[in-house]
mmCIF file of all heavy atoms in Angstrom:
data_model
loop_
_atom_site.group_PDB
_atom_site.id
_atom_site.type_symbol
_atom_site.label_atom_id
_atom_site.label_comp_id
_atom_site.label_asym_id
_atom_site.label_seq_id
_atom_site.Cartn_x
_atom_site.Cartn_y
_atom_site.Cartn_z
ATOM 1 N N ALA A 188 -56.475 12.518 53.738
ATOM 2 C CA ALA A 188 -56.797 12.385 55.162
ATOM 3 C C ALA A 188 -58.132 13.045 55.498
ATOM 4 O O ALA A 188 -58.900 12.529 56.326
ATOM 5 C CB ALA A 188 -55.678 12.987 56.008
ATOM 6 N N TYR A 189 -58.410 14.173 54.878
ATOM 7 C CA TYR A 189 -59.691 14.843 55.135
ATOM 8 C C TYR A 189 -60.844 14.021 54.595
ATOM 9 O O TYR A 189 -61.872 13.856 55.255
ATOM 10 C CB TYR A 189 -59.706 16.234 54.513
ATOM 11 C CG TYR A 189 -61.003 16.979 54.773
ATOM 12 C CD1 TYR A 189 -61.188 17.684 55.949
ATOM 13 C CD2 TYR A 189 -62.049 16.963 53.846
ATOM 14 C CE1 TYR A 189 -62.379 18.362 56.213
ATOM 15 C CE2 TYR A 189 -63.241 17.628 54.090
ATOM 16 C CZ TYR A 189 -63.401 18.324 55.278
ATOM 17 O OH TYR A 189 -64.592 18.971 55.533
ATOM 18 N N ALA A 190 -60.685 13.490 53.382
ATOM 19 C CA ALA A 190 -61.755 12.690 52.781
ATOM 20 C C ALA A 190 -62.100 11.482 53.638
ATOM 21 O O ALA A 190 -63.262 11.063 53.688
ATOM 22 C CB ALA A 190 -61.349 12.244 51.376
ATOM 23 N N ALA A 191 -61.092 10.923 54.316
ATOM 24 C CA ALA A 191 -61.307 9.734 55.140
ATOM 25 C C ALA A 191 -61.766 10.064 56.551
ATOM 26 O O ALA A 191 -62.116 9.158 57.315
ATOM 27 C CB ALA A 191 -60.013 8.919 55.208
ATOM 28 N N SER A 192 -61.779 11.333 56.903
ATOM 29 C CA SER A 192 -62.096 11.740 58.274
ATOM 30 C C SER A 192 -63.592 11.906 58.479
ATOM 31 O O SER A 192 -64.358 12.039 57.514
ATOM 32 C CB SER A 192 -61.399 13.062 58.587
ATOM 33 O OG SER A 192 -62.034 14.134 57.886
ATOM 34 N N PRO A 193 -64.053 11.920 59.739
ATOM 35 C CA PRO A 193 -65.467 12.208 59.999
ATOM 36 C C PRO A 193 -65.916 13.545 59.424
ATOM 37 O O PRO A 193 -67.038 13.673 58.937
ATOM 38 C CB PRO A 193 -65.536 12.200 61.530
ATOM 39 C CG PRO A 193 -64.426 11.285 61.956
ATOM 40 C CD PRO A 193 -63.329 11.538 60.969
ATOM 41 N N ALA A 194 -65.021 14.548 59.455
ATOM 42 C CA ALA A 194 -65.369 15.864 58.892
ATOM 43 C C ALA A 194 -65.617 15.754 57.392
ATOM 44 O O ALA A 194 -66.557 16.357 56.853
ATOM 45 C CB ALA A 194 -64.256 16.863 59.169
ATOM 46 N N GLY A 195 -64.767 14.985 56.707
ATOM 47 C CA GLY A 195 -64.947 14.781 55.280
ATOM 48 C C GLY A 195 -66.225 14.039 54.967
ATOM 49 O O GLY A 195 -66.930 14.363 54.004
ATOM 50 N N LYS A 196 -66.525 13.044 55.773
ATOM 51 C CA LYS A 196 -67.752 12.278 55.568
ATOM 52 C C LYS A 196 -68.977 13.169 55.728
ATOM 53 O O LYS A 196 -69.913 13.107 54.924
ATOM 54 C CB LYS A 196 -67.819 11.116 56.563
ATOM 55 C CG LYS A 196 -69.042 10.236 56.389
ATOM 56 C CD LYS A 196 -69.045 9.075 57.376
ATOM 57 C CE LYS A 196 -70.269 8.205 57.189
ATOM 58 N NZ LYS A 196 -70.309 7.078 58.170
ATOM 59 N N ARG A 197 -68.955 14.036 56.738
ATOM 60 C CA ARG A 197 -70.086 14.951 56.940
ATOM 61 C C ARG A 197 -70.233 15.906 55.769
ATOM 62 O O ARG A 197 -71.350 16.202 55.327
ATOM 63 C CB ARG A 197 -69.889 15.737 58.244
ATOM 64 C CG ARG A 197 -70.068 14.896 59.505
ATOM 65 C CD ARG A 197 -70.185 15.785 60.732
ATOM 66 N NE ARG A 197 -68.966 16.560 60.968
ATOM 67 C CZ ARG A 197 -67.946 16.139 61.705
ATOM 68 N NH1 ARG A 197 -67.988 14.933 62.284
ATOM 69 N NH2 ARG A 197 -66.883 16.902 61.883
ATOM 70 N N ALA A 198 -69.105 16.369 55.239
ATOM 71 C CA ALA A 198 -69.158 17.289 54.101
ATOM 72 C C ALA A 198 -69.739 16.609 52.861
ATOM 73 O O ALA A 198 -70.566 17.187 52.150
ATOM 74 C CB ALA A 198 -67.762 17.827 53.802
ATOM 75 N N ALA A 199 -69.306 15.380 52.601
ATOM 76 C CA ALA A 199 -69.829 14.639 51.450
ATOM 77 C C ALA A 199 -71.326 14.384 51.609
ATOM 78 O O ALA A 199 -72.100 14.535 50.650
ATOM 79 C CB ALA A 199 -69.067 13.331 51.283
ATOM 80 N N GLU A 200 -71.730 14.019 52.817
ATOM 81 C CA GLU A 200 -73.149 13.751 53.068
ATOM 82 C C GLU A 200 -73.984 15.017 52.943
ATOM 83 O O GLU A 200 -75.172 14.963 52.608
ATOM 84 C CB GLU A 200 -73.321 13.128 54.449
ATOM 85 C CG GLU A 200 -72.787 11.700 54.545
ATOM 86 C CD GLU A 200 -72.855 11.136 55.951
ATOM 87 O OE1 GLU A 200 -73.063 11.936 56.907
ATOM 88 O OE2 GLU A 200 -72.694 9.914 56.110
ATOM 89 N N ALA A 201 -73.347 16.167 53.195
ATOM 90 C CA ALA A 201 -74.056 17.444 53.079
ATOM 91 C C ALA A 201 -74.141 17.930 51.639
ATOM 92 O O ALA A 201 -74.766 18.964 51.366
ATOM 93 C CB ALA A 201 -73.364 18.492 53.943
ATOM 94 N N GLY A 202 -73.511 17.200 50.723
ATOM 95 C CA GLY A 202 -73.626 17.535 49.308
ATOM 96 C C GLY A 202 -72.451 18.274 48.703
ATOM 97 O O GLY A 202 -72.496 18.666 47.532
ATOM 98 N N TYR A 203 -71.383 18.432 49.481
ATOM 99 C CA TYR A 203 -70.194 19.092 48.924
ATOM 100 C C TYR A 203 -69.393 18.095 48.088
ATOM 101 O O TYR A 203 -69.170 16.951 48.518
ATOM 102 C CB TYR A 203 -69.314 19.649 50.043
ATOM 103 C CG TYR A 203 -69.915 20.853 50.711
ATOM 104 C CD1 TYR A 203 -70.662 20.726 51.876
ATOM 105 C CD2 TYR A 203 -69.770 22.124 50.160
ATOM 106 C CE1 TYR A 203 -71.241 21.824 52.486
ATOM 107 C CE2 TYR A 203 -70.343 23.234 50.752
ATOM 108 C CZ TYR A 203 -71.083 23.074 51.918
ATOM 109 O OH TYR A 203 -71.656 24.172 52.506
ATOM 110 N N ALA A 204 -68.969 18.531 46.910
ATOM 111 C CA ALA A 204 -68.109 17.691 46.076
ATOM 112 C C ALA A 204 -66.717 17.665 46.691
ATOM 113 O O ALA A 204 -66.102 18.720 46.905
ATOM 114 C CB ALA A 204 -68.048 18.242 44.661
ATOM 115 N N LEU A 205 -66.216 16.467 46.990
ATOM 116 C CA LEU A 205 -64.859 16.315 47.514
ATOM 117 C C LEU A 205 -63.951 15.873 46.375
ATOM 118 O O LEU A 205 -64.186 14.842 45.748
ATOM 119 C CB LEU A 205 -64.809 15.259 48.633
ATOM 120 C CG LEU A 205 -65.595 15.524 49.907
ATOM 121 C CD1 LEU A 205 -65.312 14.417 50.916
ATOM 122 C CD2 LEU A 205 -65.271 16.876 50.504
ATOM 123 N N ARG A 206 -62.914 16.661 46.117
ATOM 124 C CA ARG A 206 -61.915 16.293 45.111
ATOM 125 C C ARG A 206 -60.577 16.216 45.832
ATOM 126 O O ARG A 206 -60.143 17.194 46.448
ATOM 127 C CB ARG A 206 -61.890 17.301 43.963
ATOM 128 C CG ARG A 206 -63.223 17.396 43.222
ATOM 129 C CD ARG A 206 -63.163 18.290 42.000
ATOM 130 N NE ARG A 206 -64.466 18.359 41.343
ATOM 131 C CZ ARG A 206 -65.334 19.364 41.514
ATOM 132 N NH1 ARG A 206 -65.011 20.387 42.309
ATOM 133 N NH2 ARG A 206 -66.486 19.361 40.905
ATOM 134 N N VAL A 207 -59.947 15.054 45.736
ATOM 135 C CA VAL A 207 -58.762 14.765 46.545
ATOM 136 C C VAL A 207 -57.493 14.915 45.726
ATOM 137 O O VAL A 207 -57.380 14.381 44.624
ATOM 138 C CB VAL A 207 -58.844 13.334 47.130
ATOM 139 C CG1 VAL A 207 -57.612 13.037 47.978
ATOM 140 C CG2 VAL A 207 -60.107 13.173 47.967
ATOM 141 N N TYR A 208 -56.506 15.630 46.262
ATOM 142 C CA TYR A 208 -55.198 15.805 45.621
ATOM 143 C C TYR A 208 -54.120 15.239 46.539
ATOM 144 O O TYR A 208 -54.325 15.145 47.744
ATOM 145 C CB TYR A 208 -54.934 17.288 45.330
ATOM 146 C CG TYR A 208 -54.739 18.132 46.581
ATOM 147 C CD1 TYR A 208 -53.465 18.316 47.128
ATOM 148 C CD2 TYR A 208 -55.828 18.714 47.237
ATOM 149 C CE1 TYR A 208 -53.273 19.071 48.279
ATOM 150 C CE2 TYR A 208 -55.642 19.470 48.377
ATOM 151 C CZ TYR A 208 -54.370 19.647 48.901
ATOM 152 O OH TYR A 208 -54.184 20.384 50.046
ATOM 153 N N THR A 209 -52.942 14.942 46.066
ATOM 154 C CA THR A 209 -52.600 14.496 44.728
ATOM 155 C C THR A 209 -52.394 12.991 44.852
ATOM 156 O O THR A 209 -51.480 12.554 45.544
ATOM 157 C CB THR A 209 -51.308 15.181 44.225
ATOM 158 O OG1 THR A 209 -51.457 16.590 44.275
ATOM 159 C CG2 THR A 209 -50.956 14.717 42.818
ATOM 160 N N VAL A 210 -53.248 12.215 44.199
ATOM 161 C CA VAL A 210 -53.311 10.771 44.394
ATOM 162 C C VAL A 210 -52.572 10.076 43.260
ATOM 163 O O VAL A 210 -52.993 10.147 42.105
ATOM 164 C CB VAL A 210 -54.780 10.290 44.434
ATOM 165 C CG1 VAL A 210 -54.834 8.789 44.685
ATOM 166 C CG2 VAL A 210 -55.566 11.054 45.495
#
Side-chain angles (χ1 to χ4, degrees):
Y189 181 84
S192 72
K196 182 179 180 181
R197 289 193 297 271
E200 290 175 346
Y203 288 95
L205 297 185
R206 299 186 181 99
V207 180
Y208 68 90
T209 304
V210 182

